[in-house]
């Protein structure tokens, strides 16, 4: 069942960096509690610029943005950050403490959490992200993938209502991607709202419900993932490659194999090929 409690809303949002042209143009969105959404588009499409409005790092040039019913223009970054956690694509933009442990505790200390709770959450986050043995190490001695997991641990530790992941699978191997997927399932059951900015189409196929396509700062699609990821015209306009199984089904279709045009999963393709074989 879908939850209709709106946690993020943009109304006629435009944004320009200083005197440059608008990089976001008339963005109208409503994101509900508990949704898992992927924001897709080529580099420069405006994806990261958009999500920075959700935690107050950027404020609209024109239009309005509401988070949990409040206008972000009336909220500080610190106030928003308690409810909206964002993990940036480049982890070095978020790391500054002397040790991994200090990095994780920083936000919780600033939010005024009790000491025993902070200690429990540090242990939980270190274990969850596989960083226990690095507790007393400098974050800058970690690999890029480990630093990425550390930034995720720092945000998860204080349990925000909304989680924004900017390229979460970059630099992660298969096992770490599976851990991130498991984490998303855990957060989904807890009714958290998850927004993923990514180029990793294969990762999101089984993990998101809704897709937003951005092209040149404009939304060209907002809806069910199948309607976007299996639409050759839309994906080409967004300069993205569809899932591999969809590409294979399109090739077979163009070769004369009578397949549906919206195949998204491997089992769907196999089922259709078996049907054709038996007919």
């Amino acid at each position: 069942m879908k939850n209709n409690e709106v946690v993020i809303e943009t109304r006629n949002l435009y944004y320009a960096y200083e005197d440059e042209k608008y990089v976001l143009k008339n963005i109208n969105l409503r994101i509900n509690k508990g949704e898992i959404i992927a924001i897709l588009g080529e580099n420069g499409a405006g994806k990261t610029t958009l999500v920075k409005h959700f935690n107050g790092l950027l404020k609209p040039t024109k239009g309005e943005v509401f988070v949990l019913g409040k206008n972000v223009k009336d909220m500080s970054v610190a106030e928003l950050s308690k409810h909206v956690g964002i993990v940036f694509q480049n982890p070095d933009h978020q790391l500054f403490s002397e040790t991994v442990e200090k990095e994780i505790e920083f936000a919780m200390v600033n939010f005024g959490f009790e000491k025993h709770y902070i200690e429990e959450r540090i242990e939980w986050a270190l274990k969850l992200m596989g960083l226990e043995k690095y507790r007393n190490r400098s974050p800058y001695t970690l690999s890029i993938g480990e630093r990425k997991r550390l930034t995720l641990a720092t945000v998860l530790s204080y349990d925000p209502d909304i989680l924004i992941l900017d390229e979460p699978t970059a630099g992660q191997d298969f096992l770490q991607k599976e851990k991130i997927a498991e984490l998303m399932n855990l957060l989904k059951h807890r009714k958290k709202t998850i927004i993923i900015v990514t180029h990793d189409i294969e990762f999101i196929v089984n993990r998101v419900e809704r897709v937003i396509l951005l092209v040149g700062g404009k939304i060209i699609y907002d809806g069910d993932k199948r309607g976007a990821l299996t639409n050759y015209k839309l994906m080409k306009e967004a300069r993205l490659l569809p899932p591999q199984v969809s590409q294979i089904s399109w090739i077979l279709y163009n070769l004369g194999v009578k397949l549906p045009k919206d195949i998204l999963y491997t089992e769907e393709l196999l089922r259709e090929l078996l049907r054709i074989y038996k007919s």
Side-chain angles (χ1 to χ4, degrees):
M1 187 190 318
K2 290 187 177 180
N3 191 312
N4 292 322
E5 180 184 340
V6 177
V7 293
I8 294 175
E9 182 178 4
T10 69
R11 299 176 187 172
N12 307 116
L13 169 62
Y14 287 78
Y15 185 78
Y17 291 99
E18 297 180 350
D19 296 328
E20 297 180 16
K21 296 179 180 178
Y22 287 118
V23 293
L24 293 179
K25 305 165 187 174
N26 199 30
I27 301 293
N28 289 281
L29 279 176
R30 289 167 66 91
I31 297 173
N32 294 330
K33 181 178 180 179
E35 282 196 285
I36 302 179
I37 295 174
I39 300 178
L40 308 179
E42 66 175 330
N43 290 335
K47 305 183 300 297
T48 300
T49 299
L50 175 59
V51 297
K52 282 183 176 181
H53 282 79
F54 301 160
N55 78 335
L57 288 174
L58 296 176
K59 299 295 175 71
T61 303
K62 293 196 304 184
E64 296 176 303
V65 177
F66 296 87
V67 173
L68 300 175
K70 296 181 179 180
N71 195 318
V72 298
K73 289 182 178 179
D74 303 323
M75 303 173 74
S76 67
V77 174
E79 186 181 357
L80 278 162
S81 295
K82 192 170 184 178
H83 303 286
V84 183
I86 183 168
V87 179
F88 291 110
Q89 180 176 357
N90 186 342
D92 293 339
H93 291 167
Q94 289 179 260
L95 301 176
F96 52 84
S97 296
E98 294 180 359
T99 67
V100 167
E101 181 177 17
K102 291 291 184 183
E103 198 74 61
I104 297 173
E105 78 171 10
F106 178 82
M108 292 186 285
V109 170
N110 280 307
F111 290 145
F113 293 169
E114 294 183 4
K115 185 177 179 180
H116 75 277
Y117 179 81
I118 292 175
E119 291 173 351
E120 289 176 2
R121 295 299 291 181
I122 289 173
E123 294 294 337
W124 175 82
L126 285 170
K127 184 177 181 181
L128 181 70
M129 291 291 106
L131 297 170
E132 302 104 307
K133 64 181 179 181
Y134 303 122
R135 175 192 292 267
N136 297 312
R137 289 260 298 268
S138 165
Y140 296 103
T141 66
L142 307 183
S143 70
I144 184 67
E146 290 163 347
R147 295 201 301 276
K148 188 85 171 184
R149 298 205 301 278
L150 175 56
T151 58
L152 185 54
T154 63
V155 171
L156 290 171
S157 65
Y158 63 86
D159 200 26
D161 301 307
I162 301 163
L163 185 65
I164 299 171
L165 306 177
D166 195 346
E167 299 292 352
T169 60
Q172 305 299 324
D173 60 23
F174 175 79
L175 289 178
Q176 293 304 328
K177 286 185 180 183
E178 287 302 301
K179 283 188 177 181
I180 293 171
E182 290 173 9
L183 171 64
M184 288 171 57
N185 285 332
L186 172 66
L187 295 173
K188 179 180 179 181
H189 288 307
R190 296 182 61 191
K191 306 299 182 186
K192 301 293 183 180
T193 304
I194 305 172
I195 301 168
I196 304 173
V197 175
T198 186
H199 289 90
D200 192 343
I201 303 297
E202 300 298 335
F203 178 77
I204 67 165
V205 167
N206 292 301
R207 276 117 194 172
V208 307
E209 302 148 356
R210 175 180 168 192
V211 163
I212 295 168
L213 290 179
L214 279 178
V215 174
K218 296 180 179 180
I219 295 175
I220 65 166
Y221 179 90
D222 178 3
D224 178 75
K225 61 184 174 184
R226 189 185 295 271
L229 301 182
T230 65
N231 187 313
Y232 179 84
K233 183 179 178 181
L234 276 176
M235 294 295 281
K236 184 177 181 181
E237 185 177 354
R239 297 188 180 182
L240 297 171
L241 287 174
Q244 291 182 355
V245 68
S246 298
Q247 294 183 55
I248 292 169
S249 67
W250 289 348
I251 291 170
L252 292 173
Y253 179 85
N254 289 327
L255 289 173
V257 181
K258 295 181 178 179
L259 293 170
K261 294 182 180 180
D262 63 346
I263 290 177
L264 186 59
Y265 302 107
T266 301
E267 55 268 28
E268 292 176 337
L269 177 58
L270 293 175
R271 185 171 61 247
E272 288 298 326
L273 291 174
L274 183 61
R275 176 187 59 80
I276 293 169
Y277 174 77
K278 288 183 175 179
S279 62

